Amino acid sequence: MTERRVAHEDRDDALAALLAPWLPGRRWFPIKGVDARVTAIGGLSLTDPEGTATVRLLLLRAEGGGTGAVLQVPVVLGVDVADGDPALVGRLPDGTAVVDGAGRPEFERAWLAEADRPAGSAPEPADALGTPKVVPGEQSNTSVILPGAGPDGSTAMLKVFRGLTEGDNPDVDVPRALAEVGWTHVPRPLAWLGAEWPDGDGTAHGHLGVLSAFVPGAQDGFELACDLARRGESFADLAEDLGEVVGQMHRALARALPDDVLPAAQGSTAPSGRHAAAPEPGLSPAAARVADALAARFAWASGIVPELAGFADPVAALAERTRLLADVPHRQRVHGDLHLGQVLRGDDTWYVLDFEGEPLLPVAQRTRPDLALRDAAGMLRSFDYAAAVGDAPAAWTEVARTAFLTGYSAESTDVDPGTRAHLLRVLELDKALYEAVYEARNRPDWLPIPLAGVQRLIG
């Protein structure tokens, strides 16, 4: 990755002041409910091949409520735009119009001209680009559909990373590695852009965005499942196919990014940050790590969601049975945040997206090896949500779950079926406890969904 050094310009401070009141209205802005302090780190100036405007990739530091983040905000300066245009953020003191760059052709052309590409690959001519279209509804980043930006004039997808952390972004490196080993269920990366920026007394480096192949006519996996649930149609065949693809993904990840064991320094920690206790002599350290993580998750979640308090004894009993497991699979690179919203159905198959993980976590944590079954557990939890949104009966979910596990088990044979079933129960419960906290804090009306999941998994 070419390292482009971020530099501070005089106008960056004025841009930060102009953007500060605009940022809280963006879904990807991470500081909610409190006033945020926004300052300029610097930026990169890109050249639009058509020379119609100035493009600035501005990096800002936002702080508030005890948290902080480095954010990327592409802006286009000097275009002819009328007051009241929804793309207009505001004007600098000299009257220069400042426009949100994400959906602007000036930004797309400049980004494509500057980006790194695989050897032997060249950008498509700027005049071949069609009208960019911002994908609505994203919470962490901004994706733009770009007609004409792919090979031979095909459509491509540009993802602009909003929250930046130190290290190469796994949503660039993992799909590249998977494509290199011939796994075809991930949109192939076509170009990427990286930079380094001031970070305290040193510098940080990371990716700013990635251009990937676009799957035309593909449907979001969660929307597809919800539609079927709403119509009372089975998801079984699609779920079994999805299970096979997820199992194949884990095998491909093990080939593309081999990392057989979790280093001792990266042992599991509780949500509070406490390290798990050492296992008793004669017991499996891997099993103890899973058991301790479940106990810690419950202690954290039940302190926030009072409705969970009654589950303390059965959760403790499940953790102790987990501690006695003798055969726990090795840890490896995983997706890390897999659910129906991270897959697309197109070309009669499934594609897996968004290997970035939680954008505000350090890259070292997001790329840490884990149990592959955690991805499968996340997908199973997603079926509960699709059924709730689609108002489907419990039987719809059970059929989908069984079909998914049939497909997954056919491609994942590194553990005996009994241990797999037990670990999936534990990992799915861990995820449901996390969801209960999230829903209690953000969507209280949805809290019954994870609570019902906890009840089912305990029962």
Side-chain angles (χ1 to χ4, degrees), residues 344-422:
L344 295 176
R345 183 72 181 180
D347 301 329
D348 293 324
T349 191
W350 289 101
Y351 292 88
V352 184
L353 313 173
D354 297 335
F355 288 83
E356 187 181 8
E358 172 52 56
L360 296 182
L361 287 179
V363 169
Q365 291 187 30
R366 290 187 263 151
T367 58
R368 180 181 296 175
D370 202 347
L371 294 174
L373 287 170
R374 194 178 299 279
D375 284 342
M379 191 61 72
L380 292 175
R381 290 294 314 130
S382 195
F383 294 165
D384 273 10
Y385 276 80
V389 172
D391 197 23
W396 185 94
T397 312
E398 281 307 307
V399 169
R401 291 171 58 86
T402 300
F404 175 84
L405 291 175
T406 297
Y408 184 77
S409 299
E411 299 290 341
S412 175
T413 58
D414 61 345
V415 64
D416 73 84
T419 300
R420 178 188 294 114
H422 183 96

Side-chain angles (χ1 to χ4, degrees), residues 182-257:
W183 199 64
T184 59
H185 295 274
V186 59
R188 181 167 52 91
L190 305 172
W192 46 91
L193 188 68
E196 61 179 31
W197 59 91
D199 181 28
D201 294 331
T203 59
H205 83 283
H207 288 102
L208 303 181
V210 61
L211 181 77
S212 302
F214 180 70
V215 184
Q219 189 170 2
D220 176 89
F222 187 69
E223 294 178 0
L224 174 58
C226 290
D227 287 344
L228 291 174
R230 197 174 290 113
R231 298 197 301 265
E233 299 179 19
S234 176
F235 190 60
D237 290 343
L238 292 175
E240 183 172 354
D241 189 17
L242 178 58
E244 292 177 0
V245 168
V246 172
Q248 293 164 5
M249 176 191 72
H250 288 143
R251 295 213 317 268
L253 281 169
R255 294 196 312 273
L257 299 164

Side-chain angles (χ1 to χ4, degrees), residues 74-422:
V75 292
V76 177
L77 308 175
V79 292
D80 184 13
V81 59
D83 291 339
D85 189 306
L88 180 66
V89 176
R91 297 183 185 274
L92 293 175
D94 63 2
T96 300
V98 178
V99 172
D100 179 13
R104 297 288 303 194
E106 300 90 348
F107 163 66
E108 325 298 350
R109 291 192 298 260
W111 194 98
L112 293 169
E114 178 70 19
D116 299 323
R117 295 173 181 270
S121 176
E124 294 298 310
D127 58 8
L129 297 180
T131 303
K133 179 183 178 182
V134 176
V135 177
E138 282 194 287
Q139 292 190 341
S140 299
N141 300 297
T142 301
S143 294
V144 185
I145 300 172
L146 290 179
D152 301 321
S154 60
T155 298
M157 178 80 80
L158 173 62
K159 177 182 283 190
V160 179
F161 300 133
R162 294 299 191 168
L164 306 180
T165 60
E166 161 67 26
D168 294 342
N169 195 301
D171 208 18
V172 180
D173 287 352
V174 174
R176 286 176 63 190
L178 288 172
E180 287 172 1
V181 299
W183 199 64
T184 59
H185 295 274
V186 59
R188 181 167 52 91
L190 305 172
W192 46 91
L193 188 68
E196 61 179 31
W197 59 91
D199 181 28
D201 294 331
T203 59
H205 83 283
H207 288 102
L208 303 181
V210 61
L211 181 77
S212 302
F214 180 70
V215 184
Q219 189 170 2
D220 176 89
F222 187 69
E223 294 178 0
L224 174 58
C226 290
D227 287 344
L228 291 174
R230 197 174 290 113
R231 298 197 301 265
E233 299 179 19
S234 176
F235 190 60
D237 290 343
L238 292 175
E240 183 172 354
D241 189 17
L242 178 58
E244 292 177 0
V245 168
V246 172
Q248 293 164 5
M249 176 191 72
H250 288 143
R251 295 213 317 268
L253 281 169
R255 294 196 312 273
L257 299 164
D259 198 348
D260 291 338
V261 296
L262 182 66
Q266 292 184 347
S268 64
T269 58
S272 64
R274 298 187 304 273
H275 283 273
E280 297 177 17
L283 298 182
S284 164
R289 191 157 49 226
V290 177
D292 289 336
L294 175 63
R297 178 76 79 185
F298 181 78
W300 168 73
S302 60
I304 299 170
V305 183
E307 292 89 340
L308 294 172
F311 297 112
D313 289 343
V315 170
L318 181 60
E320 288 310 303
R321 291 198 298 275
T322 303
R323 194 178 302 278
L324 300 177
L325 292 176
D327 181 23
V328 175
H330 69 269
R331 298 187 172 212
Q332 64 162 82
R333 285 296 294 269
V334 298
H335 183 284
D337 185 29
L338 193 63
H339 52 78
L340 283 167
Q342 307 284 43
V343 295
L344 295 176
R345 183 72 181 180
D347 301 329
D348 293 324
T349 191
W350 289 101
Y351 292 88
V352 184
L353 313 173
D354 297 335
F355 288 83
E356 187 181 8
E358 172 52 56
L360 296 182
L361 287 179
V363 169
Q365 291 187 30
R366 290 187 263 151
T367 58
R368 180 181 296 175
D370 202 347
L371 294 174
L373 287 170
R374 194 178 299 279
D375 284 342
M379 191 61 72
L380 292 175
R381 290 294 314 130
S382 195
F383 294 165
D384 273 10
Y385 276 80
V389 172
D391 197 23
W396 185 94
T397 312
E398 281 307 307
V399 169
R401 291 171 58 86
T402 300
F404 175 84
L405 291 175
T406 297
Y408 184 77
S409 299
E411 299 290 341
S412 175
T413 58
D414 61 345
V415 64
D416 73 84
T419 300
R420 178 188 294 114
H422 183 96

